Amino acid sequence: MHCGNCSPVRLLQHVQVLNGGLRRSVMAFSFNFNIPLQTEGNCGEDSRENDQVKDGNNDNLNRKLDASESVHKKFKEAVEHRHTSDSLSHIKDSVTETVTIGTLPPLHYLNESVFEQTAPEREDGENILSLTMANNSDLITGVYEGGLKIWECTYDLLEYIDEVGETFSGKRVLDLGCGAGLLGILALKRGASMVHFQDYNCTVIEQLTIPNVVLNFDEESDEEDEAKTDEGPPPKRKALDSSCHLLTNHCSYFSGDWTSYLSLMQSKDPRPQYDIIFTSETIYNTDYYPSLHDVFHKLLAEDGVVYLATKTHYFGVGGGLYLFQKFVEEKNIFHIKSLKDINQGLKRNIVSLTFKKTN
């Protein structure tokens, strides 16, 4: 719980793990609620009331969950983003990292530390880069929802996919709250026919997600391009242009809150129906449960599955698996199933949601 005069709640955890070829450095939660929850930027406008859930009081929680469905709020308008030549500039001379897990293909992404250090040089209509640096915070509720970090539950879900051998050939996939986009990128590399990436902040989509996608699908043509000597654009540039053209046919990118995103998807003809929805570290705030559940309900295919990776409890915010499970059970639309528990460090969980079958 955080009060107006309290210092920011910060839970920082640096982890290095060697497991089946995986090596990573992860920073866990960092909260700061001293920022007014209102921002305007070139990528859209947003205004949310600061209404944090108090821990340890189920009656207050139930009233809060009911009220969150009826109280009118202004939302962050959903925007669809495209591959552009600027997408290429973000990976030119960039510092990248690679995560390799078991038998999964290597996944490449822009180095987080270098990304932060070069923040002043980047376009940021939402000002989230400067806000997070100025306030030393990885989450500003309603303003910046943590998409610039790769949270550890994303790695948990990647490991689970490797363990069970989930296949994606011909599947329609949504990476919801995608951040760096590793889950959606994996689906693309394993044959998904369509992948949609969604994150709250347009800066995350434009500066991180799209460049990471392009970065991963440029690698396969590197050796072939090095052997070419014909005149024209540099081989590397031609490879990136080719990657963008190819990915345009399989990928779409969206920013905005989940309510606006759902409205945008429902306006499309045909309306997207996803075989798989991935979402990681997205249930930390109970205010978002109704809109998250609505996305699952309206956009998941009849026989589809949601894979949710989460911490059991998010200290300082009030959300967590048990509260979300209670919310889902009260709605009585989905069956929620425990798939894996991780007890190293803060307890974490992977669960699935599938539609309840009606007779």
Side-chain angles (χ1 to χ4, degrees):
M1 176 179 174
H2 179 76
C3 63
N5 296 323
C6 295
S7 60
V9 180
R10 296 183 59 79
L11 294 173
L12 301 182
Q13 180 186 33
H14 293 276
V15 182
Q16 277 201 320
V17 181
L18 282 172
N19 181 13
L22 167 64
R23 184 179 183 87
R24 65 180 185 259
S25 178
V26 183
M27 179 168 291
F29 261 83
S30 168
F31 300 111
N32 186 331
F33 301 115
N34 288 332
I35 304 300
L37 303 186
Q38 184 171 358
T39 184
E40 294 185 1
N42 296 331
C43 303
E45 297 182 355
D46 174 71
S47 175
R48 289 184 185 269
E49 298 174 4
N50 183 10
D51 191 9
Q52 297 301 325
V53 178
K54 297 181 180 180
D55 298 325
N57 190 324
N58 286 332
D59 291 336
N60 284 345
L61 172 64
N62 290 334
R63 289 195 296 270
K64 173 100 176 71
L65 290 174
D66 291 338
S68 65
E69 296 186 69
S70 59
V71 175
H72 173 73
K73 293 183 179 182
K74 295 181 181 178
F75 296 105
K76 188 176 185 67
E77 182 180 358
V79 176
E80 184 168 2
H81 302 262
R82 305 288 184 182
H83 290 104
T84 66
S85 58
D86 289 340
S87 305
L88 309 181
S89 66
H90 295 319
I91 65 174
K92 181 181 179 182
D93 301 324
S94 60
V95 178
T96 64
E97 294 188 26
T98 298
V99 58
T100 303
I101 299 175
T103 61
L104 299 183
L107 303 173
H108 311 294
Y109 57 94
L110 300 183
N111 179 277
E112 294 177 11
S113 298
V114 175
F115 190 94
E116 292 175 349
Q117 292 170 9
T118 58
E121 305 170 9
R122 299 177 179 274
E123 294 181 8
D124 178 18
E126 298 169 303
N127 296 318
I128 62 170
L129 297 173
S130 57
L131 281 173
T132 55
M133 292 180 64
N135 293 278
N136 197 25
S137 175
D138 294 328
L139 176 67
I140 306 172
T141 302
V143 175
Y144 163 62
E145 298 293 345
L148 297 175
K149 296 287 185 182
I150 301 177
W151 303 93
E152 61 186 325
C153 286
T154 296
Y155 294 106
D156 293 336
L157 189 47
L158 288 170
E159 290 177 347
Y160 176 79
I161 293 169
D162 178 56
E163 291 168 3
V164 301
E166 175 66 76
T167 59
F168 302 98
S169 181
K171 298 287 182 66
R172 300 159 297 177
V173 178
L174 170 62
D175 190 346
L176 190 67
C178 61
L182 297 186
L183 295 165
I185 290 170
L186 173 63
L188 278 172
K189 287 196 167 192
R190 287 209 157 174
S193 62
M194 177 186 78
V195 177
H196 286 181
F197 296 86
Q198 184 279 337
D199 198 88
Y200 185 79
N201 293 106
C202 66
T203 299
V204 172
I205 292 293
E206 294 175 351
Q207 300 280 333
L208 186 62
T209 311
I210 295 178
N212 280 349
V213 173
V214 174
L215 178 67
N216 277 271
F217 289 88
D218 166 58
E219 62 167 339
E220 297 179 0
S221 58
D222 279 350
E223 292 183 3
E224 178 182 349
D225 289 330
E226 288 176 0
K228 293 182 179 180
T229 59
D230 57 319
E231 295 181 0
K236 185 72 172 180
R237 175 70 188 206
K238 289 194 296 183
L240 291 174
D241 288 339
S242 176
S243 296
C244 283
H245 178 73
L246 175 65
L247 293 173
T248 298
N249 297 325
H250 296 279
C251 302
S252 295
Y253 308 89
F254 305 89
S255 65
D257 71 85
W258 290 325
T259 298
S260 297
Y261 169 71
L262 176 57
S263 296
L264 178 59
M265 293 299 99
Q266 290 180 310
S267 70
K268 292 182 175 293
D269 186 18
R271 181 180 70 183
Q273 292 283 280
Y274 302 107
D275 301 300
I276 296 174
I277 297 178
F278 288 126
T279 191
S280 175
E281 308 256 21
T282 51
I283 61 170
Y284 53 85
N285 190 329
T286 58
D287 281 349
Y288 302 159
Y289 290 2
S291 57
L292 179 62
H293 189 276
D294 283 347
V295 170
F296 295 161
H297 185 196
K298 302 299 184 182
L299 298 184
L300 186 67
E302 182 178 355
D303 295 321
V305 58
V306 176
Y307 290 105
L308 165 66
T310 179
K311 291 184 175 67
T312 305
H313 183 72
Y314 289 94
F315 298 98
V317 183
L321 178 59
Y322 299 138
L323 297 181
F324 184 70
Q325 184 172 356
K326 181 176 184 293
F327 182 87
V328 171
E329 290 172 349
E330 289 176 352
K331 291 293 184 181
N332 200 33
I333 293 172
F334 290 104
H335 172 66
I336 186 167
K337 178 182 178 181
S338 175
L339 300 177
K340 184 178 181 180
D341 297 328
I342 301 97
N343 294 310
Q344 294 177 335
L346 294 176
K347 187 175 180 181
R348 309 184 301 281
N349 313 89
I350 297 174
V351 301
S352 67
L353 283 78
T354 53
F355 283 112
K356 289 187 173 181
K357 303 299 181 182
T358 57
N359 296 326

